[in-house]
């Protein structure tokens, strides 16, 4: 076909005109290297301080296999137990659903307050972020105890404890998603005379909704599988059974329970994908 | 009526309006159906969850009870009256905190690297092969669904007691959790730069490096640091593998009802969380606005 | 009467707009021309306060717009519709909703937030879309449209705003000749019929000469030309764009004469 | 009876025992029996963490609680108004269990004194038989574990302690032990994780009193009486009772706070340890 | 020789491109014209396989491009540079890196992944930028540039690719006259000097007539005109764009004659 063009240019002349661009050692590059070096250094320190022992590590790897044998085949012993587990799983899903939603709704409001591009006043978003940090910093167990004081043992306390433990994380994640949104649609709405609410509703919300949806669904999933907090407040649930079976070394039960949770998680994941892509729309993939 | 717009006659509009409403109605029906299902689910869940707003309202005043007890020393004095007594174990706690931070750091770093490497294989918009995507997603699910405790037990048997099995358990779990979150960030990116790099003949790796990575880095950082925070607080595994840590001291204090210790430890942990959050904010802004000038 | 008084905007060390003073009487159709990067977009963005001026004032009928805040700022923005160079549509909303956003100031908040538009509002928005030949995509998502379609949606949105001033940032950049004409005609019509002021960034001098009452030339953030279209002689235009003498405007040399006139090629 | 109006619902809360599974199934019939017997609704709650039960009883939300010995003592000491009324009894009639020290069978150690400078594996700071009792016992022997042993490590669980011993991480490990047939080591043996005969017991602690059932002190006396009657009547019914304990227990017997005074002593000792840490 | 054989692309029920067959000899400068939404962008995107054709084949020198995959597909894409209507730059990378992305195929993977470009490469990229007058913004982030600056970065990126074919999707939409000329001249120069085929979507008929050897007119996804620029009479063009007889191309009617020709406004 055609001749191929050959591009060439004189590097020395170009370097003379744009010295900054030809520097091999730039501030950004130094910073990157320093950060990576620091991270690796800390990692190395960890290896020394925490007594990682290469030889034992390798030996251990071989022993991993032995252990897995305890877990197969997964089994719940009998049908009745299986039904009990199934029931506990359903209960857990219900509590996790309610807890997650209860956390998400107020967190959306606080998330907007804590986003710099929505509330430019430093004090407000600083305080809301520190408030969220505090909620997050308080251990789940403490939340559980506080709510047991209020509503007694039972699933309701579980819902409240799940909600308070998730609220802090949601507020932070939502506010960060909002800050990362594209400002152009917001400008579009503002230029049409939309107030702050309208700018949020039409400029930001369509952009952050898929992100919020995926985070809520992720936490829903996470609450379902690691439902220890539900067990603490006496709401039963799959987490309690799991903890019990681990404690009593019933590994076949453990693996059966894990498989059940895995199936649930896969369903939630599938739902999540469905929902998210119905919001973002499908796009072609890189071939 | 906008003067600058020639309003069409109603007959002309009719057809358009119907076409529009028809197209929207399908979507609206879907939305309404979705909300209806959600409402039913919530109603059922409220039943199962024994939600009792009356009780909640009547007893809400007790919310402060526990908190109030946290604010008092053994002697009954308010904690602030004697900060030295309140923070009597500061040296030990700081030491534990440092150790915990190091363990959580190792676990998070390994987990973040794992999640980072896997997330692109699970993302629908970057990975064409459904098989690879499916396999990666299921693998990540296994990593985060098998309880940390089980991994910890396995690793204890394999590697012996100490921080090592804890770090590994954290790493496996973090890989699963971060892998999924990262993957969703990747699925949300603007595809135009991807087209741009592809059109330059970039390979898959180069598309990831130059089109996807710059868009997702800030989100990755914030998720990884949130995970770090979670891992610092995650007491259970550390206690289980005998690595202690600040979280276990907290749980011990809670269970033994040493109220002032609980509040002192909480202050330390909340402070750590705040520092991490501030660091996240700076890092994220730096990545988002990388040399914006 | 729109008065810009010593308006400047600095990004870092660069002045995107430097000390611009202009008086634009109501009902004018002003074209702003200048090379890419001259500061045209920035100037328009300052007028409706999407970019905060670093210095200077903007007066509308004697009122200082740079001081507005809250509800009154929103009213001002509703009064001066902006058509963006990059459209700034909400990609994930459908086209009709994007157009209806232009009615936000005129719709009670609760109704617009729930997207409960009246039949009348939808009728207006659809008519506006139809005027630009895109009523058939009303239900599509804005980000699935072609470039020119998006641009026309943005223009329709501006029109349903019933503004007093229209700020148009290259409204015809992605349009074919027919749509160019439709859009410029629409701008001209509302300008002439209703006395709405139009400020319009344009790259095509021919179009600028045809439609505008007055042209403002910018270079490196400053106003370097201000006058009637007739006053924009080829010499002035060449200066403005830094073209060589003898070069024809709005078009390159005929292909056969071209290779000789090449600038220093990088290609060797 | 006027208390029926005041207590439309009684909450009976359990912590799962350290070493049994299927707690819910086993106890549900009993809760139903209580409902019938008391004539008011009895709700069974299973909480994974005894701190939640203590808090719940403190707030008056839990009327009857099944505690571990140490958690009962902790509740009583932190001012929860609760009263024990029934205690579990082992198959052989004893009312308690032990904390033991295991060493490997092939090791030379015969008594605790031989272990100077060796490593001790405890369970976790909250474990009664895995930490508190061993420390209490050592202090009775005038041994300060931190000084006497080379290293004192928390292994995280009873099983981990055995594993640590097996792997040589520690030379002696504390653990719970009921009798020859029931201990964590036996359980591990049944799972194929360890062999009972590979280990030797070099120390057995005093009896740790078994778990009590306790009700709120400010319940009306007639209600308390009714609860007691219901419990002991149930315990007399062999079939039903054996369903709960799978035949591993004799019927409950009455008990009062005095039986737990040694445990309270123990808890006080543990709190002392915390105060020592600060100096 | 580039042959499109019965190429179609369907989105839902709509055919964006329907059964297009074209033969484009090497070294041609082909302008694609048509109304907004006619399918011009989609056609170009299919040629370099960013959009998968729903039907039809693309042959280059007898080789079926629609069958390529993996490394050979990357090579083909590197061979046909694309200039996007919406630029498709990586906003968060600096301008120079964006241009250097054009060299990906020619740089060993490990070096490009670490952004370790040689002096030689940087010099080439800079001279390409310089050619379009934007070397001074080389270190800025791409998303802080003005529209026209971004467009020129995209063009520079395409040039450093050293392609065999250039696909340009409205490369001059956001450019002022001078830059329009610079860009079109550059395309023409590499077309004439090296015989590189150029496929260019254009909205300005004047520019299309001046630079192209051949024009292809599209409407509703189909090719409705294919011939030399001279063959594109005003009648044909009017048909293509659906303009009324008597309307001048590339410009509206003179302002003073206009208000009479307005559609009936509804006053309220
Ligand atoms: N957010 C920003 N940060 C830094 N520099 C900016 C920013 N926005 C604009 N600039 C710079 O200000 C100058 C003027 O930009 P502006 O967008 O106003 O140009 P323009 O005249 O509209 O050009 P075009 O015709 O290409 O759209 C440019 O040099 C641009 O790089
Ligand atoms: N991803 C998509 N999903 C649905 N419809 C699409 C998509 N991309 C393009 N279309 C539709 O295909 C048609 C052709 O679009 P295309 O972008 O090719 O037009 P164009 O000729 O480039 O127009 P313009 O000159 O305005 O850029 C349009 O009607 C558009 O709405
Ligand atoms: Mg501009
Ligand atoms: Mg197009």
């Amino acid at each position: 076909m055609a001749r191929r063009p050959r591009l060439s240019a004189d590097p020395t002349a170009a370097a003379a005109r744009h010295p900054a661009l030809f520097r091999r050692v730039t501030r950004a590059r130094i910073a990157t290297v320093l950060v990576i070096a620091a991270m690796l250094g800390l990692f190395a320190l960890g290896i020394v301080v925490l007594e990682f022992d290469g030889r034992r590590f390798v030996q251990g790897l071989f022993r991993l296999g032995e252990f897995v044998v305890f877990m197969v085949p997964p089994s719940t012993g009998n049908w009745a137990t299986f039904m009990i587990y199934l029931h506990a799983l359903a209960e857990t899903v219900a509590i996790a659903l309610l807890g997650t939603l209860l956390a998400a709704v107020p967190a959306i409001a606080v998330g907007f307050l804590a986003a710099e591009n929505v509330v430019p006043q430093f004090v407000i978003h600083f305080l809301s972020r520190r408030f969220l940090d505090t909620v997050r910093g308080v251990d789940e167990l403490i939340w559980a105890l506080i709510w047991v004081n209020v509503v007694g043992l039972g699933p309701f306390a579980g819902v409240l404890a799940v909600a308070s433990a998730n609220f802090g994380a949601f507020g932070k994640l939502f506010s960060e998603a909002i800050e990362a949104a594209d400002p152009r649609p917001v400008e579009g709405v503002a230029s049409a005379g939309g107030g702050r609410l309208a700018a949020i509703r039409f400029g930001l919300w369509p952009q952050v909704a898929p992100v919020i949806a995926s985070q809520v669904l992720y936490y829903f999933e996470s609450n379902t599988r690691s439902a220890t907090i539900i067990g603490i407040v006496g709401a039963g649930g799959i987490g309690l059974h799991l903890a019990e079976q681990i404690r009593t070394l019933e590994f076949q039960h453990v693996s059966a329970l894990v498989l059940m949770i895995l199936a649930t998680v896969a369903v939630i994941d599938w739902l999540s994908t469905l929902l998210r892509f119905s919001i973002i729309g499908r796009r072609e993939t890189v071939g | 009526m906008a003067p600058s717009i020639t309003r069409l006659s109603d007959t002309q509009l009719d057809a358009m309006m119907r076409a529009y409403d028809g197209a929207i109605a399908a979507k609206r029906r879907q939305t309404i159906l979705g909300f209806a299902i959600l409402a039913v689910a919530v109603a059922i869940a409220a039943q199962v969850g024994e939600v009792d707003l009356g009780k909640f309202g009547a007893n809400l005043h007790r919310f402060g009870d526990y908190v109030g007890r946290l604010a008092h020393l053994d002697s009954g004095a308010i904690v602030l009256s004697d900060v030295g007594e309140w923070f009597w174990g500061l040296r030990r706690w700081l030491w534990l905190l440092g150790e915990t931070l190091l363990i959580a750091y190792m676990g998070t770093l390994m987990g973040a690297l794992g999640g980072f490497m896997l997330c692109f294989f699970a993302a629908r918009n970057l990975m064409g092969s459904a098989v690879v995507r499916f396999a990666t997603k299921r693998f990540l699910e296994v990593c985060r669904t098998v309880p940390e405790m089980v991994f910890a037990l396995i690793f204890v048997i394999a590697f012996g007691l100490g921080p090592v099995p804890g770090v590994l358990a954290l790493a496996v779990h973090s890989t699963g959790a971060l892998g999924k979150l990262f993957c969703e960030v990747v699925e949300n990116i603007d595809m135009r730069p991807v087209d741009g790099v592809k059109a330059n003949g970039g390979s898959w790796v180069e598309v990831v490096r130059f089109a996807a990575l710059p868009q997702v880095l800030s989100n990755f950082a914030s998720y990884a640091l949130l995970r770090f925070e979670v891992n610092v607080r995650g007491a259970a595994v550390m206690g289980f593998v005998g690595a202690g840590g600040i979280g276990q001291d907290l749980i011990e204090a809670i269970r033994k009802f040493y109220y002032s210790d609980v509040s002192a430890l909480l202050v330390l942990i909340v402070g750590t969380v705040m520092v991490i959050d501030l660091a996240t904010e700076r890092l994220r802004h730096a990545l988002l606005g990388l040399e914006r000038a | 009467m729109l008065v810009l008084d010593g308006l400047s905007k600095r990004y870092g060390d660069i002045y995107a707009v430097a000390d611009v003073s202009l008086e634009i009487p109501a009902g004018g159709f002003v074209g702003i021309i200048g090379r890419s990067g001259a500061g045209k977009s920035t100037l328009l963005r300052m007028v409706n306060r999407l970019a905060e001026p670093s210095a200077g004032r903007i007066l509308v009928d004697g009122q200082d717009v740079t001081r507005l805040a809250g509800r009154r700022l929103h009213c001002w923005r509703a009064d001066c519709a902006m058509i963006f160079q990059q459209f700034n549509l909400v990609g994930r909303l459908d086209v009709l909703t994007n157009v209806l956003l232009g009615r936000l100031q005129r719709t009670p908040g609760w109704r617009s937030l729930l997207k409960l538009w009246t039949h009348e509002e939808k009728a207006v928005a659809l008519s506006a879309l139809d005027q630009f030949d895109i009523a058939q995509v009303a239900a599509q998502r804005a980000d699935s449209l072609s470039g020119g379609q998006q641009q026309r949606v943005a223009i329709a949105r501006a029109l349903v705003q019933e503004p007093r001033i229209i700020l148009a940032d290259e409204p015809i950049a992605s349009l074919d000749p027919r749509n160019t004409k439709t859009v410029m005609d629409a701008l001209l019509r509302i300008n002439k019929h209703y006395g709405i002021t139009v400020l319009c960034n344009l790259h095509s001098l021919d179009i600028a000469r045809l439609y505008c009452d007055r042209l403002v030339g910018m270079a490196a953030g400053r106003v370097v030309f201000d006058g009637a279209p007739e006053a924009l002689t080829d010499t002035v235009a060449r200066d403005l764009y830094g073209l060589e003498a003898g070069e024809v405007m709005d078009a390159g040399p005929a292909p056969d004469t071209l290779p000789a006139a090449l600038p220093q090629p990088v290609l060797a | 009876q006027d208390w029926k109006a005041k207590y439309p619902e009684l909450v009976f809360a359990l912590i799962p025992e350290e070493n049994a599974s299927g707690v819910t199934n086993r106890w549900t019939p009993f809760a139903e029996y209580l409902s019938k017997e008391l004539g008011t609704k009895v709700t069974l709650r299973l909480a994974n963490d005894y701190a939640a039960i203590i808090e719940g009883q403190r707030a008056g939300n839990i009327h009857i609680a099944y505690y571990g010995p140490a958690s009962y003592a902790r509740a009583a000491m932190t001012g929860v108004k609760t009263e024990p009324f029934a205690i579990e009894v082992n198959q052989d009639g004893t009312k308690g269990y032990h904390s033991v020290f295991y060493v490997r069978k092939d090791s030379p150690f015969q008594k605790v004194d031989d272990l100077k400078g060796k490593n001790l594996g405890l369970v976790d700071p909250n474990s009664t038989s895995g930490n508190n009792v061993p420390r209490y016992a050592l202090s009775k022997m005038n041994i300060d574990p931190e000084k006497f042993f080379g290293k004192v490590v928390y292994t995280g669980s009873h099983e981990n302690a055995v594993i640590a011993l097996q792997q040589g991480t520690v030379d002696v490990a504390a653990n719970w032990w009921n009798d020859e047939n029931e201990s964590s080591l036996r359980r591990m043996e049944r799972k194929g994780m360890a062999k009972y005969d590979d280990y030797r017991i070099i120390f057995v602690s005093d009896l740790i009193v078994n778990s009590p059932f306790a009700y709120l002190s400010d319940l009306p006396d007639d209600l308390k009486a009714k609860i007691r009657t219901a419990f002991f009547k149930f315990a007399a019914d062999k079939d039903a009772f054996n369903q709960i304990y799978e035949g591993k227990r004799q019927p409950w017997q009455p008990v009062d706070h005095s039986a737990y005074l040694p445990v309270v002593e123990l808890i006080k000792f543990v709190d002392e340890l915390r105060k020592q840490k600060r100096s």
Side-chain angles (χ1 to χ4, degrees), chain D residues 75-92:
Chain D
M77 275 179 61
T78 52
V80 179
K81 295 197 179 51
T82 182
E83 251 173 58
F85 63 92
I87 185 173
E88 292 184 324
V89 182
N90 295 348
Q91 199 51 280
D92 58 4

Side-chain angles (χ1 to χ4, degrees), chain D residues 18 27 35 38 69 89 91 119 142 196 224 231 244 249:
Chain D
E18 268 189 87
W27 287 88
S35 297
L38 301 178
V89 182
Q91 199 51 280
N119 297 337
N142 281 322
Y196 190 79
K224 284 185 186 170
F231 264 73
I244 295 187
R249 293 269 197 249

Side-chain angles (χ1 to χ4, degrees), chain D residues 156-211:
Chain D
S157 75
H158 289 272
E159 288 77 23
N160 280 357
V162 175
I163 294 168
L165 190 59
Q166 197 172 11
Q167 295 182 337
T169 316
V170 298
D171 303 291
V172 54
N175 233 288
W176 71 264
W177 185 84
N178 266 16
D179 52 44
E180 276 297 317
N181 300 319
E182 199 54 27
S183 59
S184 57
L185 190 49
R186 276 285 183 222
R187 172 117 26 98
M188 290 173 77
E189 185 177 54
R190 286 198 283 273
K191 301 290 165 206
M193 294 173 71
K195 269 219 199 72
Y196 190 79
D197 292 333
D198 285 352
Y199 305 93
R200 219 162 2 100
I201 293 174
I202 56 163
F203 169 80
V204 180
S205 76
D206 292 340
L207 198 71
I208 306 166
V209 187
N210 269 347
S211 302

Side-chain angles (χ1 to χ4, degrees), chain C residues 140 144-149 174:
Chain C
Q140 247 170 277
S144 77
L145 298 188
S146 81
Q149 288 169 332
S174 313

Side-chain angles (χ1 to χ4, degrees), chain A residues 1-64:
Chain A
M1 204 166 161
R3 272 187 295 153
R4 214 177 246 290
R6 280 267 145 251
L7 296 179
S8 67
D10 179 9
T12 28
R17 266 193 297 164
H18 303 279
L21 293 172
F22 283 82
R23 232 169 265 144
R24 282 209 187 276
V25 187
T26 60
R27 291 260 292 282
R29 210 163 256 174
I30 292 176
T32 317
V33 169
L34 280 184
V35 168
I36 291 178
M39 284 170 70
L40 288 180
L42 204 54
F43 196 80
L45 178 76
I47 288 188
V48 175
V49 172
L50 304 180
E51 295 161 11
F52 267 78
D53 180 343
R55 210 156 30 92
R56 234 168 101 194
F57 196 89
V58 175
Q59 284 171 354
L61 282 181
F62 287 105
R63 301 202 52 179
L64 276 181

